[in-house]
Amino acid sequence: MKLNKTFSIFFIIIFFLVNPLLADKLPEYKSYFNDYTNFYDQTYVQVYNNLLTNISNTKKMTLVFAIVSDYAGEGSIESYAVELFEKWKIGDKEKDNGMLVVLNSKTREIKIEVGYGLEGDFPDGYVGELLDRFIYYYKQQGKEKATLALIAMIAEKEKIKLDYRQARNNANPKAAKRNPIVMIIMFVIFIIIFIRNPLLAMYLMSSFFARGASGSFSGGLGGFGGGSSGGGGASRRF
């Protein structure tokens, strides 16, 4: 009898010691776009990180993604998003301008958690509309382009201009380097166009340089200072 009581007490102690360790499996922050399940192509992950860095550098908001396959002991994606938001302290402490997108690649759930300071621009109803559009793009064009569209829609709401061409070049520097043969062919074509239609040639040249001179992306992990969330936002299955 005493032996059974001893074993019972022992297992109770072990349970209370181990249970918090099992529950505390929230992932560590790695970058603005954290794909812990390799759900996305790595080239797209780099592009997303470049775009999210650009957004954070504006100081208007900090947008972070977490791609997971479980909820680390939390019962739902909603509670998981709140806990992860608080652990990572997304956004500026004074402005509370953080936003977290949690996507479960296994259960096909997505949740947008909004910081207090952004709830005016991103009320629950509007966030739900963003997710509905994401799901539409997901079904029509796939997850990579749907995620790109979601980032673009969020940035547009805050009037943040993104340079997608530069983001792609930074993600794949080799692609940004122009092939000399291609450049020669393009030059010959330009000369032919210039001879036949000088105005069209000048227009094409100005358009080319205008795109090339657009804004650039810089690194850094700014925008983290202790932002908090009150559970605002919305979630969907896709």
Side-chain angles (χ1 to χ4, degrees):
M1 192 70 175
K2 290 183 178 180
L3 185 62
N4 290 337
K5 287 184 178 180
T6 301
F7 272 110
S8 298
I9 295 173
F10 174 77
F11 281 117
I12 290 173
I13 293 173
I14 292 298
F15 175 80
F16 282 106
L17 288 175
V18 174
N19 190 54
L21 298 177
L22 294 175
D24 187 20
K25 290 183 179 179
L26 293 173
E28 296 298 325
Y29 172 85
K30 297 190 302 182
S31 59
Y32 289 109
F33 195 91
N34 304 272
D35 185 0
Y36 300 104
T37 66
N38 295 319
F39 189 54
Y40 288 85
D41 180 272
Q42 286 305 302
T43 300
Y44 273 96
V45 170
Q46 294 177 37
V47 171
Y48 299 149
N49 267 312
N50 290 339
L51 294 173
L52 297 175
T53 299
N54 184 215
I55 290 174
S56 181
N57 287 344
T58 66
K59 306 300 182 183
K60 292 183 177 181
M61 69 179 300
T62 300
L63 177 59
V64 177
F65 280 70
I67 315 303
V68 301
S69 59
D70 62 74
Y71 297 134
E74 297 295 333
S76 66
I77 192 170
E78 287 81 11
S79 58
Y80 179 85
V82 172
E83 293 298 323
L84 192 60
F85 194 108
E86 295 300 323
K87 176 177 180 177
W88 287 357
K89 301 184 183 301
I90 302 171
D92 182 87
K93 186 175 182 179
E94 301 298 326
K95 298 178 180 179
D96 277 334
N97 59 349
M99 180 180 291
L100 172 65
V101 179
V102 176
L103 185 150
N104 190 315
S105 60
K106 186 176 181 180
T107 63
R108 294 298 193 270
E109 294 176 284
I110 185 170
K111 169 74 166 78
I112 295 181
E113 188 71 20
V114 181
Y116 285 115
L118 293 176
E119 289 182 347
D121 290 341
F122 294 93
D124 294 354
Y126 181 74
V127 174
E129 291 179 11
L130 290 178
L131 291 179
D132 290 338
R133 295 178 193 175
F134 167 83
I135 295 172
Y136 172 80
Y137 287 122
Y138 180 89
K139 293 179 178 179
Q140 296 294 322
Q141 302 182 30
K143 59 180 179 290
E144 278 85 9
K145 292 184 178 180
T147 303
L148 190 63
L150 180 59
I151 293 173
M153 289 185 291
I154 293 173
E156 182 180 7
K157 181 65 175 178
E158 291 300 289
K159 297 180 174 57
I160 298 174
K161 187 176 180 180
L162 299 176
D163 188 340
Y164 304 99
R165 181 171 177 266
Q166 187 67 38
R168 288 193 299 269
N169 288 346
N170 285 356
N172 187 6
K174 292 182 179 179
K177 297 179 180 179
R178 303 186 181 279
N179 190 313
I181 297 177
V182 174
M183 293 298 293
I184 293 173
I185 294 174
M186 290 177 62
F187 179 74
V188 172
I189 294 174
F190 174 79
I191 294 299
I192 295 173
I193 295 175
F194 183 81
I195 293 173
R196 295 186 177 184
N197 192 330
L199 291 178
L200 176 60
M202 295 303 294
Y203 172 77
L204 293 175
M205 180 182 289
S206 62
S207 298
F208 175 81
F209 283 109
R211 288 195 301 270
S214 54
S216 61
F217 289 76
S218 57
L221 297 175
F224 292 80
S228 58
S229 163
S235 61
R236 293 286 191 274
R237 288 184 177 271
F238 58 94

